[in-house]
Amino acid sequence: MAATPPICDFGWKAVDFSLLGADGKTYSLADLAGPKGTLIVFMCNHCPYVRAIAGRLAQEAKALAALGIGVAGINANDPTSYPEDSYENMKAFAEEHGLGFPYLVDATQETARAYGAVCTPDFFGFNADLELQYRGRLDESRTTPASGARRDLYEAMKRIAETGKGPAEQIASMGCSIKWKAA
């Protein structure tokens, strides 16, 4: 089921976490934060929206790292209901798509709930003070890459790195809903 996150809550402070990465290391927000900003992406392995952008996301993450932006992906989906989103499959997904950033598992889903994550992909772009400045999309592509698409995420994060402020106009991401565990 497709979902769209709410508009950006400018200034909302990033919530700390301690999550296991697909590389076997545990990461906190402080470990991931870049000197000019931080991008947290809620994503998963099975969603067609994520699969369609995974290669471009890996490229954009490299470009953002060069600007001083730290990047991490977080998978909060319930692997019991969606085995393709298991920790073992995260390792394979990260390798297959050349993710050059930590890909973390939120096994309790507490981090996703603290951030108010809605879908995969769901982008949270923070400035150097870890204040939310971007809650938009990667670009206009959905499940099919759009030719000549404007690099919405890159341009917003570049602006954040340079000024500390995100663009006033943002277009929300769209993707598969987070697969929450049954209560």
Side-chain angles (χ1 to χ4, degrees), residues 34-39 60 63-71 125-134 152-167:
K36 300 282 184 137
T38 306
L39 175 67
E60 295 292 41
L64 292 173
L67 299 176
I69 304 287
V71 179
F126 298 93
N127 64 18
D129 295 324
L130 295 173
E131 298 167 332
L132 187 64
Q133 296 296 315
Y134 188 70
D152 294 11
L153 175 69
Y154 176 81
E155 293 299 327
M157 293 307 296
K158 180 178 179 202
R159 179 176 174 172
I160 292 165
E162 292 169 351
T163 70
K165 301 287 183 193

Side-chain angles (χ1 to χ4, degrees), residues 18-177:
S18 179
L19 299 173
L20 180 64
D23 61 4
K25 298 176 187 170
T26 299
Y27 295 87
S28 69
L29 180 60
D31 296 328
L32 302 165
K36 300 282 184 137
T38 306
L39 175 67
I40 303 293
V41 184
F42 287 88
M43 54 189 286
C44 67
N45 309 328
H46 89 275
C47 175
Y49 292 91
V50 175
R51 294 192 71 75
I53 66 155
R56 289 193 326 282
L57 178 58
Q59 292 171 346
E60 295 292 41
K62 286 179 189 167
L64 292 173
L67 299 176
I69 304 287
V71 179
I74 299 177
N75 177 5
N77 277 359
D78 177 9
T80 303
S81 298
Y82 292 83
E84 52 269 79
D85 287 332
S86 72
Y87 179 73
E88 288 303 317
N89 286 331
M90 286 174 60
K91 293 177 186 178
F93 184 88
E95 187 173 323
E96 174 188 349
H97 295 285
L99 301 184
F101 54 85
Y103 186 22
L104 316 174
V105 62
D106 181 10
T108 66
Q109 299 184 322
E110 289 176 11
T111 301
R113 289 191 191 284
Y115 277 71
V118 172
C119 62
T120 59
D122 198 348
F123 300 96
F124 290 77
F126 298 93
N127 64 18
D129 295 324
L130 295 173
E131 298 167 332
L132 187 64
Q133 296 296 315
Y134 188 70
R135 185 94 188 262
R137 62 187 186 179
L138 178 77
D139 61 28
E140 67 186 86
S141 302
R142 305 269 174 153
T143 55
T144 305
S147 177
R150 182 176 176 271
R151 297 167 70 190
D152 294 11
L153 175 69
Y154 176 81
E155 293 299 327
M157 293 307 296
K158 180 178 179 202
R159 179 176 174 172
I160 292 165
E162 292 169 351
T163 70
K165 301 287 183 193
E169 298 291 321
Q170 300 180 14
I171 300 172
S173 184
M174 177 181 263
C176 301
S177 62

